[in-house]
Amino acid sequence: MKKFKVALVLGSGGARGLAHIGVIKLLEKLNLKIDCVIGTSMGAFIGGFFCKGFNANEMEKIALSFDKISTLKILSPSFSRFGIIDTEKIKRFLNQFIENVNIEDLPIPFFAITTDLVTGKEVVLNKGNLVDAIISSIAVPVLIKPYYYKNRYFVDGGLVNPLPTSIAYSLKSELIIAVNVTIGPHRIRVTKQNSAPTFEKLRKKLQSELSSWRIRNFIPENLMSSILQENPAKKEPEFPKTIQTLLQSLSIMENRLINLYLQFYPPDILITPKIKSFTMLEFYRAEEIIEAGYKSAVSKASEIKRLYKQVFLS
């Protein structure tokens, strides 16, 4: 494969992946020439826009147009038996900006990581329709239905390679800048599964009715005592909600995979934005997330400039 000097690797992370825009903003300020972009899931989403020619400010403007209502429109349930979110909604959104664009025609080479649902193998898409490649990479199981493309069913690339520095190694990149927006396990809210309130209301109503002497005359004493007796429902353990369980499970899996990959394929620069306070679905918090990405990149600016000069002076 062609050798690339500078590779930008963008990892998966849902809405947290908007931090990639902040990192790109800093790289543009430093006038860095990126020779290729390798993205997984949301990293492929942002990377696809960047390789198409969108700069950081243009991407930020699109991201900031999402408030809670517009986010809900995209993420609202489609009641499909194949996934909660229909890929057609995402496809319509992407086609507004990058319709009928092929990866091989992009000004910057682009590689999208996805997972073959049938074989479980990692697939690198670097040819064909850009929109199809992006959706293939972001199809989070259960949330988004598998994407049928090139006679295969594709799901989220984060299942096999959430931070694809390994691909940058295979491309013999001299400088690898990686952005990790996947966080490890974290505290989540739980809710009580408890039917006590409904039972208690019914018991109190019966107690009120049975207190009447007229009704007492028709009900045996032992039965009435049993009904009137307080019988609080058993205390149930607390459980996270279904979506919380899914997203937390993905975070656990992807975080372990990233730690493993980084042992064998460490990047030259690893940027890890402080995004623990954001969930994977909070796209309406774009401004804060992008700013977190920019600040994290600024903290690495001197190191980036030093290594970039070494590459082009060697």
Side-chain angles (χ1 to χ4, degrees), residues 12 40 115 122 156-165 180 182 249-265:
S12 63
T40 293
T115 305
E122 172 186 295
D156 196 286
L159 297 177
V160 288
N161 202 345
L163 187 64
T165 52
N180 179 18
T182 297
S249 299
L250 287 173
S251 291
I252 293 169
M253 179 196 70
E254 291 184 349
N255 191 63
R256 295 296 290 269
L257 276 174
I258 287 173
N259 291 336
L260 183 63
Y261 269 103
L262 289 179
Q263 291 180 39
F264 295 97
Y265 306 102

Side-chain angles (χ1 to χ4, degrees), residues 216-227:
R216 277 179 180 272
N217 290 337
F218 296 99
I219 295 179
E221 188 63 32
N222 59 345
L223 177 58
M224 193 178 73
S225 298
S226 175
I227 294 172

Side-chain angles (χ1 to χ4, degrees), residues 63-134:
L64 293 178
S65 68
F66 274 80
D67 54 16
K68 286 187 177 182
I69 294 175
S70 53
T71 299
L72 283 171
K73 285 181 180 178
I74 291 286
L75 302 180
S76 60
S78 63
F79 303 105
S80 167
R81 55 190 173 136
F82 305 112
I84 296 174
I85 303 166
D86 195 334
T87 51
E88 285 304 311
K89 292 181 181 179
I90 302 170
K91 196 169 188 176
R92 284 195 295 271
F93 170 78
L94 288 171
N95 280 334
Q96 296 178 63
F97 307 98
I98 50 177
E99 186 177 15
N100 298 324
V101 177
N102 286 330
I103 294 174
E104 52 268 40
D105 297 327
L106 296 173
I108 301 174
F110 174 63
F111 302 83
I113 311 304
T114 184
T115 305
D116 186 313
L117 182 61
V118 176
T119 65
K121 291 182 178 179
E122 172 186 295
V123 178
V124 181
L125 299 174
N126 65 334
K127 291 182 180 179
N129 185 270
L130 178 58
V131 169
D132 289 327
I134 291 173

